Amino acid sequence: MTDAQIADTGLGAGSGPAAEPDRPPNSRRHALRQPEALIPLILVGVFLVMWVLVLARPTFLTSFDLWARNHIQNVSHATQGKNRWPVFKKIADLGGGVAVQGVPFQIQVPMVAMAFVGLGAALLRRSWRPVLAMAAGYAALLVVLFLKAVGDRPGPSMAGQAMSGGLGYFPSGHTGNTMLGYGTAALILAFVLTGHRMRIAITVAMTLWALTVGFSLVWMDFHWVSDVLGSYALCGAMLFGVARVLGFRISADRA
């Protein structure tokens, strides 16, 4: 299947790219109102507001973080949650590096997953689009790391120190890895698997996985709630760019 044939499939029934409609005289303003531009702009706006509030601490956002953290940890301690449900620790780890016996360094699971899926899709479809999507995903991750270093936000507890790698905590790197690593891999799978139901399954699975990793990071006291939410907003916007690289479009009537 050629790139043109794949691009014509779109992300779901009725949502694929079509011929560009006649644009009104104010085409730039019209373009910004389209879902594929408006949604990521809103997400970036949400992130920037959170970024300012986090850097200007203390604010109502940091107060909310402290309130949420205390309530969640009270529940965790009262129910012995960390010991009774160690699965959340393992899920949190899958958002970043995992130690493997005999390997002297941590394996970054989301990065490996993205590379494996991207290269496999490129070979299968004989297309450069998955490789370009991989490059966009890795570039976006560098942006997340840069923002973490600039923000230099302290974590909620010493338990999170190992998670930061010496960087700040906002936006959450593990959530970013999940969104951009697994998320880019999911988009590449949707590029290859063009069935509508299959794409819905991929979307639902990726959404649930991202939410589960975010919850696990907060439950384990590795991140503040706003760290996770900020990463969702920023990386969600970035995934729209990755989707464009793969040729996906969102029509206004299907948004």
Side-chain angles (χ1 to χ4, degrees):
M1 184 181 293
T2 65
D3 282 356
Q5 290 172 320
I6 295 172
D8 285 341
T9 61
L11 190 54
S15 61
E20 288 291 332
D22 293 335
R23 292 183 180 272
N26 55 344
S27 58
R28 183 173 299 179
R29 183 180 300 176
H30 175 76
L32 290 176
R33 291 176 178 174
Q34 297 304 302
E36 60 187 14
L38 184 60
I39 295 175
L41 284 175
I42 291 174
L43 291 174
V44 170
V46 170
F47 171 78
L48 290 177
V49 170
M50 296 182 69
W51 170 262
V52 171
L53 291 174
V54 166
L55 292 186
R57 54 185 179 264
T59 62
F60 73 88
L61 181 61
T62 52
S63 297
F64 166 77
D65 277 332
L66 185 59
W67 175 86
R69 186 250 182 182
N70 289 341
H71 279 71
I72 292 171
Q73 293 310 307
N74 286 340
V75 173
S76 176
H77 293 316
T79 60
Q80 293 295 312
K82 292 184 176 65
N83 295 325
R84 291 177 60 188
W85 303 301
V87 65
F88 290 123
K89 171 63 167 60
K90 295 179 180 179
I91 291 173
D93 289 342
L94 286 175
V98 175
V100 177
Q101 187 175 4
V103 178
F105 55 87
Q106 284 192 328
I107 297 177
Q108 298 295 315
V109 181
M111 305 302 96
V112 173
M114 178 165 57
F116 178 80
V117 173
L119 293 176
L123 292 174
L124 181 64
R125 294 304 188 194
R126 298 180 182 179
S127 168
W128 284 101
R129 285 183 184 244
V131 176
L132 294 176
M134 284 171 48
Y138 287 126
L141 280 169
L142 291 178
V143 174
V144 173
L145 292 176
F146 172 76
L147 293 174
K148 285 169 64 69
V150 171
D152 194 26
R153 186 190 195 186
S157 71
M158 291 303 293
Q161 294 300 321
M163 307 289 287
S164 71
L167 300 173
Y169 284 77
F170 184 90
S172 164
H174 276 57
T175 307
N177 287 343
T178 299
M179 292 285 289
L180 295 171
Y182 298 123
T184 298
L187 284 171
I188 294 173
L189 285 176
F191 176 77
V192 175
L193 305 172
T194 58
H196 182 57
R197 291 183 179 179
M198 180 59 69
R199 286 178 168 179
I200 291 177
I202 292 171
T203 301
V204 171
M206 180 59 222
T207 301
L208 292 176
W209 178 242
L211 292 174
T212 303
V213 171
F215 171 81
S216 299
L217 291 168
V218 175
W219 179 261
M220 295 303 302
D221 205 21
F222 292 153
H223 271 288
W224 303 104
V225 172
S226 65
D227 296 341
V228 174
L229 296 180
S231 199
Y232 282 152
L234 177 64
C235 298
M238 290 175 171
L239 284 177
F240 274 82
V242 175
R244 289 296 296 269
V245 171
L246 289 167
F248 293 132
R249 300 290 186 271
I250 301 177
S251 60
D253 60 336
R254 293 285 181 172

